[in-house]
Structure formats: C-alpha cells, structure tokens
C-alpha cells in the first residue's frame, strides 16, 4: 500500500557530508510527521530528526548543529543533510512517516528498509 524508499547512504570519512532522501509512494491521502532514525550495531534505534507537515523540526542533541532535516510535501519526500560526520554517526538510517491512507480516518507509521551510513576515522 505504501512504500518508503531511502537513498544516499554510503562510506565517508570523518568531517565529510552526506545527504539522505526518502520518498513515500502508494495510497497516500496525507503525510504528517516524517523523520529519520538510526540504529548502530548492538544499540537501540534512536531518533535523529523529525519534521511535521507544518515544518516544525525536532533534532536529537547529538546531531544539532550538524544535521538538517527538510521535506518537499509536493514530492512526498524527506531529506537529511548530514555535515561534519563523525564515526559515532555510523548506523543504519531509517526513514519513518506517519501516513493517512485514502479513505481512512487514521494514520499509520511506516518504515523504510534502511540505508547504511559508515563514517571512517
């Protein structure tokens, strides 16, 4: 019904930048919050950044001042610009979106398949 497809991960060196994008497609009436989470090996998944449909942003403390989240509502796309990357940013990054289907009165949270970001020191 709904797919979230991430792109843009890869291997970079500390201090480099990387940009992630996530496109939502399918039976979509409205998309509320969209965000990025990450999960490092052996750790729990954690919030990185979230942006509401009105543009309100919440960034996790470890990424404040380095990461920027934005979205293009017309394209059902959310972006994560990551600057000054550190080895501790290494993780699988997952896109998340709160989506209301056509014909539905409730919203459901969806996850992308994840994209690996590796930062070498």
């Amino acid at each position: 019904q709904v797919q979230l497809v991430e792109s843009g991960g890869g291997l970079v060196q500390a201090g480099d930048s990387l940009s992630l994008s996530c496109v939502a497609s399918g039976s979509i009436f409205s998309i509320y919050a969209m965000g990025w989470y990450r999960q490092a090996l052996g750790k729990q998944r954690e919030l990185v950044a979230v942006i509401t449909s009105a543009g309100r942003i919440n960034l996790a403390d470890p990424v404040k001042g380095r990461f920027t989240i934005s979205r293009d509502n017309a394209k059902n796309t959310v972006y994560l610009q990551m600057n000054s990357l550190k080895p501790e940013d290494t993780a699988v990054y997952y896109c998340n979106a709160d989506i209301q289907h056509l014909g539905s009165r409730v919203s459901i949270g969806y996850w992308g398949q994840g994209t690996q970001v590796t930062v070498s020191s």
Side-chain angles (χ1 to χ4, degrees), residues 3-114:
Q3 272 194 317
L4 298 182
V5 179
E6 301 122 331
S7 60
L11 171 64
V12 297
Q13 292 187 330
D16 285 351
S17 298
L18 205 57
S19 181
L20 306 181
S21 62
C22 171
V23 181
S25 62
S27 176
I28 298 171
F29 175 71
S30 184
I31 303 178
Y32 299 106
M34 300 185 81
W36 292 94
Y37 291 72
R38 66 186 181 186
Q39 188 167 16
L41 196 62
K43 296 187 177 181
Q44 289 189 331
R45 191 172 299 189
E46 62 179 8
L47 172 70
V48 176
V50 64
I51 182 169
T52 69
S53 56
R56 191 184 320 186
I57 292 171
N58 183 29
L59 287 168
D61 286 343
V63 306
K64 283 181 179 176
R66 299 188 298 122
F67 290 13
T68 303
I69 187 171
S70 61
R71 64 189 282 175
D72 185 332
N73 292 328
K75 296 181 179 180
N76 292 340
T77 302
V78 63
Y79 306 96
L80 186 68
Q81 177 64 41
M82 305 182 290
N83 299 326
S84 302
L85 282 160
K86 303 176 181 180
E88 50 264 43
D89 295 318
T90 295
V92 178
Y93 283 70
Y94 296 92
C95 174
N96 175 268
D98 191 25
I99 295 174
Q100 182 180 357
H101 287 281
L102 292 168
S104 174
R105 286 185 284 182
V106 298
S107 61
I108 301 172
Y110 287 91
W111 292 93
Q113 80 284 356

